[in-house]
Amino acid sequence: MKQRTLILLKPDCMERRLAGTVLARFEQKGFRIVGMKLMQVTPEIASKHYAEHVEKPFFPNLLGYITSDPVTAICLEGRDVVNVVRKMVGTTKGYLAEPGTIRGDFSISGQKNLVHASDSPESAEREIAIFFRPEELVTWKSCDDAFLLSESEREEA
Ligand code: CMP
């Protein structure tokens, strides 16, 4: 199976009507959407998803932010998707992120940084299971697959 990652279009992304713009970048790069839903993050889901940050001083702020408005949870699939998406998203703080990255182009905040993306294949597996039941993920192939990768690359990926 090709690699998968979890994307969250965070409340600021939804409020600013940037969901389509951000999602378009991932689609145009060549990744496939295998799961997607608009949802309200509860404190319970947030505490699971951000387990590594629960003890951090900024966690109450982070909890308020991520539960403030809906998010769009997306499971993306494709070759090396975890690493490639992290590069496309840019470094955590929007004001430090490189122009050309999503945060670098659209965010000047350390917290309101528009997008979450899993930081490793192991995190992706854990996070996808928090946001999606197995039957909510769809296995499919898009017809442009043959144009995105060479034949030998498709065999390796
Ligand atoms: P992300 O890296 O996707 O996951 C953790 C989130 O916590 C991060 O995005 C920010 O939205 C938020 N965050 C990280 N550091 C801080 C901080 N110092 N103050 C407030 N929020 C933060």
Side-chain angles (χ1 to χ4, degrees), residues 10 25 27 57 109 124 150-151:
K10 295 180 180 179
R25 291 197 178 200
E27 287 194 287
S109 167
S150 72
E151 202 173 333

Side-chain angles (χ1 to χ4, degrees), residues 10 50 53 58 62 65 92-93 103 110-111 113 115-116:
K10 295 180 180 179
Y50 287 125
H53 298 309
F58 64 80
L62 175 57
Y65 158 54
T92 301
K93 297 180 189 332
R103 289 170 174 163
Q111 184 187 63
N113 58 6
V115 187
H116 166 83

Side-chain angles (χ1 to χ4, degrees), residues 4-6 75 123-132 137:
R4 291 179 170 179
T5 196
L6 180 82
C75 182
S123 300
E125 199 178 333
R126 187 185 77 82
E127 293 170 359
I128 290 165
I130 295 171
F131 286 88
F132 292 96
L137 300 174

Side-chain angles (χ1 to χ4, degrees), residues 28-116:
Q28 286 163 358
K29 178 73 174 169
F31 296 123
R32 186 180 315 112
I33 300 166
V34 296
M36 183 157 78
K37 61 175 145 176
L38 182 73
M39 58 185 287
Q40 184 69 45
V41 173
T42 61
E44 292 70 31
I45 293 173
S47 301
K48 271 194 210 168
H49 175 66
Y50 287 125
E52 64 181 302
H53 298 309
V54 166
E55 301 300 328
K56 302 220 175 114
F58 64 80
F59 184 70
N61 270 342
L62 175 57
L63 187 62
Y65 158 54
I66 204 70
T67 60
S68 63
D69 276 305
V71 305
T72 303
I74 301 162
C75 182
L76 275 189
E77 185 179 78
R79 189 185 196 195
D80 211 12
V81 66
V82 171
N83 276 329
V84 176
V85 163
R86 290 282 290 189
K87 283 189 194 155
M88 293 174 73
V89 166
T91 195
T92 301
K93 297 180 189 332
Y95 54 88
L96 296 179
E98 286 287 310
T101 64
I102 292 164
R103 289 170 174 163
D105 288 352
F106 298 115
S107 167
I108 48 165
S109 167
Q111 184 187 63
K112 297 191 172 185
N113 58 6
L114 299 163
V115 187
H116 166 83

